[in-house]
Structures are given as C-alpha cells and as structure tokens.
Amino acid sequence: MSLQCGIVGLPNVGKSTLFNCLSNAKAQSANFPFCTIEPNVGVITVPDERLIKLGELCHPERGVIPTTVEIVDIAGLVKGASKGEGLGNKFLANIRETDAIIHVLRCFDDENVVHVDGSVNPVRDKEIIDAELQLKDLETVESRIQKCEKAAKAGGDKFAKLQLEVLVQYREALSQGKNARTVELENKEQEAAAKDLFLLTNKPVMYVCNVDESSAVTGNAYVEQVREAVKDEDAQVLVLAAKIESEIAELESYEERQMFLEEIGLQESGVNRLIKAAYALLKLRTFLTAGSDEVRAWTFREGMKAPQCAGVIHTDFERGFIRAEVIKYEDFVALGGEAQCRAAGKLGIEGKDYLVQDGDIMHFLFNV
C-alpha cells in the first residue's frame, strides 16, 4: 500500500535535517531496514512495540517484519511558487502527488542559521506556504467551476450540480485566505464530490515545530503561536528538535539512545513520534500476523473490511475469502499465544462484513 507523506517548508527550517534523521530511523527500532527509492523518497519503518512482544512470544524463524510508510523530501518553497518562482511548479506537482503533508516550521533562534526572510516567525512562514498553495487551489477551483456550470446547465448533471455547490464553498474560503480543509461540508454526498478535486490545501496536514534543545520537552512561545494559528484547522502540531534527533540517530545502541532521551526528559524520540503520527495522518492502521514462521505488521486503511485486508497479503486471499480468525492483541499477550486463546474462547470467527481493528491478529481462510 504505497501512500506518501511529503515534508514541506521554507529553506533552512530544518526540513532536510529531519529527513536525514528519518533515513536513520532503523536505529530507533532495532535493525529494521531503511532504503531510498529515489534521492528524495524514503521507506521508513513504523515503530510498533507490539511486534517486539509478539516476537518474544512466538520466536519466529524468519523474524519480525514491521510495516512502513513513505516520506518524501520536497524542495524548499519560496514566495511566488504558484507563479513558477524557484522550483515552484515542481514543488506544487510534488505536493499534489502526496497523500498528506508534514509542514516543518522553524521555532528556534540561532544567529548562525540564516532565515530566508531575515527573522524567525513560524506563523508568517506557514502563511507564505499556505498562500502559494491556496493560489494554486483557487486556479483549480475557478477552472472546475466553469466546467461544472456548463455541465449542470447543458445536461442537468446532478453530480456536476453537487460539485458546483462544493466548489463555491471552497472558492469563498480560499478567497479569504483560508485552507480548503477548514470548509465543513454538509453531508457525505458533498464529501464524495470534494474527493475528486484533489486540492492541495485539503490534504491532511501535520505541523512540525522544529525547536532548540531547551524546548524539546515543553515547547516555547513560537510553538504556542503556531497552535493558536492552526486552531481552526483539522491539523496536528508535533514538537521536536531536529538537531537533537540527528545526534540520537548517530548513537550506536538502543541503550545509549534511551539514556540520551531520559537525560533531556523524553520518553520517546521525536522521530518515532513523527513516524507514528504520519502513519495516523494517512488514516493507516495495522493488523498483525503471528506464528512460528514470522511475526509481521500489515498496513490497511481505516474502515477496511476483512476481505480487503486479506487482499493486502495476497489478492488470492481476497478473491477466495471464506472467513477470518481474529484474536485481539491484548488477549494474545495476556494468555500467551494462539493455542491458549483458542482454548479460552478468545478467538473470533469473522465474515466478510467484519471491520478490521488496529492491532487485530488475523488468520485468513480462503479457497481459489
């Protein structure tokens, strides 16, 4: 399941430092792999403590295999990108291809790191990128409005009329300098009509506040300014210190990294928190398979049913789906394995309409 989060931000906000930390994320979760597909795309292991526990219980011959998420490092944006300034057109095209946005904001003072606009102001930085994306979205919306008006008048196209209603709402918001994601649509029909528009400012977003070491735990005034600025958006704010994260990534052992984190008052590295948050931002969930051969995490979209999840493993599993045997992770761990869960009546038999839950341990029966 190839879904991507794109890292965006102005030049010199710590975006590339953060991406480089993510590229060493294997160090945060044993020896799980990281690889580069293209120069700016990384396949990042999703940390999952449940896998460690299942590995200890099952002693799998082929080991433990985590799930992954793709992170894309997108070139820094400058004012005028919507009109082609800098790498504007490429930047916007790269964002359009991603499924969610990780927006890095500089929230630290350092006279040795030059800011592209001369001073540190994360809210202004956010607004610069927002404005460029909004202008591009406004172009898209205006163009689609003309097409929908023609279709609605000429052929009485009901979907065109519905989409036109949505487009008008988006145009109003974008014209006021608001992101498309701030628009509250009235019903599921409008939501379905909106999906076809692929607006840049309608993508789910997470704001990453890159702070100095002293603010890594508590945040700072810059972070509070960001929180206030995005309070009306359906967006998450995550605080981390990219400089510290780069130092953690260089440490050899898990024990050293944990000691480092404890010294600065953190329970978990910012990189781990970011990867997990990015996974959730994409509305991704994990089901598990556990046995003596291997323990493995599998990615599925929130709301998928048992046959669809079976298809994540192999298309034949979905095509010939009969039923799924499901054990809750908590029961598996508490009772000590599959056999004990069967004996205790904790193994459920589920059919085609079962909505798979995060952490379900699944075994699929199929016939093709």
Side-chain angles (χ1 to χ4, degrees), residues 161-213:
K161 288 181 180 179
L162 182 63
Q163 196 166 68
L164 183 60
E165 293 174 4
V166 174
L167 286 163
V168 169
Q169 292 182 66
Y170 282 144
R171 180 172 62 183
E172 183 177 355
L174 291 165
S175 299
Q176 295 173 7
K178 297 178 181 178
N179 290 321
R181 73 180 69 88
T182 62
V183 174
E184 295 184 12
L185 299 176
E186 296 174 9
N187 50 52
K188 289 184 177 180
E189 287 76 16
Q190 285 194 349
E191 289 174 6
K195 282 183 179 179
D196 187 46
L197 300 174
F198 302 107
L199 298 180
L200 299 172
T201 64
N202 210 18
K203 293 179 183 291
V205 65
M206 172 169 54
Y207 295 100
V208 175
C209 295
N210 183 16
V211 300
D212 55 23
E213 181 175 347

Side-chain angles (χ1 to χ4, degrees), residues 45-58:
T45 295
V46 178
D48 194 333
E49 294 77 10
R50 295 172 299 194
L51 291 175
I52 298 171
K53 189 64 179 178
L54 291 175
E56 292 170 353
L57 285 172
C58 298

Side-chain angles (χ1 to χ4, degrees), residues 39-304:
N40 64 335
V41 181
V43 179
I44 314 292
T45 295
V46 178
D48 194 333
E49 294 77 10
R50 295 172 299 194
L51 291 175
I52 298 171
K53 189 64 179 178
L54 291 175
E56 292 170 353
L57 285 172
C58 298
H59 306 291
E61 290 182 14
R62 294 203 297 269
V64 175
I65 304 172
T67 191
T68 60
V69 64
E70 290 187 7
I71 306 288
V72 187
D73 185 18
I74 296 172
L77 173 143
V78 296
K79 288 180 181 177
S82 59
K83 295 180 174 61
E85 293 292 330
L87 295 173
N89 291 328
K90 182 175 175 57
F91 173 92
L92 295 166
N94 286 341
I95 293 180
R96 199 175 297 281
E97 290 170 7
T98 64
D99 301 282
I101 297 171
I102 298 171
H103 188 158
V104 182
L105 297 167
R106 176 173 169 175
C107 294
F108 66 89
D109 292 306
D110 187 341
E111 60 184 20
N112 296 315
V113 181
V114 178
H115 191 286
V116 69
D117 279 327
S119 62
V120 177
N121 186 332
V123 175
R124 177 202 58 208
D125 295 353
K126 169 195 175 307
E127 289 173 349
I128 287 172
I129 288 188
D130 279 354
E132 297 302 328
L133 301 186
Q134 288 162 10
L135 286 169
K136 206 65 182 177
D137 277 350
L138 198 52
E139 283 182 24
T140 301
V141 167
E142 294 286 9
S143 175
R144 292 295 288 269
I145 283 177
Q146 292 178 11
K147 291 178 181 178
C148 285
E149 283 178 338
K150 289 180 181 177
K153 289 178 181 177
D157 188 325
K158 289 184 178 180
F159 183 77
K161 288 181 180 179
L162 182 63
Q163 196 166 68
L164 183 60
E165 293 174 4
V166 174
L167 286 163
V168 169
Q169 292 182 66
Y170 282 144
R171 180 172 62 183
E172 183 177 355
L174 291 165
S175 299
Q176 295 173 7
K178 297 178 181 178
N179 290 321
R181 73 180 69 88
T182 62
V183 174
E184 295 184 12
L185 299 176
E186 296 174 9
N187 50 52
K188 289 184 177 180
E189 287 76 16
Q190 285 194 349
E191 289 174 6
K195 282 183 179 179
D196 187 46
L197 300 174
F198 302 107
L199 298 180
L200 299 172
T201 64
N202 210 18
K203 293 179 183 291
V205 65
M206 172 169 54
Y207 295 100
V208 175
C209 295
N210 183 16
V211 300
D212 55 23
E213 181 175 347
S214 64
S215 307
V217 177
T218 59
N220 56 29
Y222 291 132
V223 174
E224 293 311 310
Q225 291 168 17
V226 172
R227 291 190 196 279
E228 178 64 22
V230 306
K231 66 181 181 181
D232 294 329
E233 294 188 43
D234 183 16
Q236 182 179 348
V237 176
L238 186 142
V239 179
L240 59 74
K243 187 176 180 181
I244 290 178
E245 296 298 324
S246 65
E247 293 174 10
I248 293 172
E250 291 175 2
L251 297 174
E252 292 295 327
S253 70
Y254 174 81
E255 290 72 19
E256 285 180 303
R257 292 190 292 274
Q258 288 305 114
M259 285 178 61
F260 189 109
L261 289 168
E262 288 172 10
E263 285 177 8
I264 60 176
L266 292 173
Q267 294 182 331
E268 186 178 26
S269 76
V271 164
N272 271 20
R273 288 185 288 115
L274 174 58
I275 297 170
K276 290 178 180 177
Y279 193 72
L281 188 67
L282 292 167
K283 296 190 182 301
L284 300 178
R285 301 292 182 265
T286 303
F287 73 86
L288 307 159
T289 52
S292 58
D293 53 345
E294 71 174 22
V295 168
R296 185 162 182 166
W298 303 86
T299 297
F300 70 99
R301 293 297 296 264
E302 182 181 67
M304 284 174 63

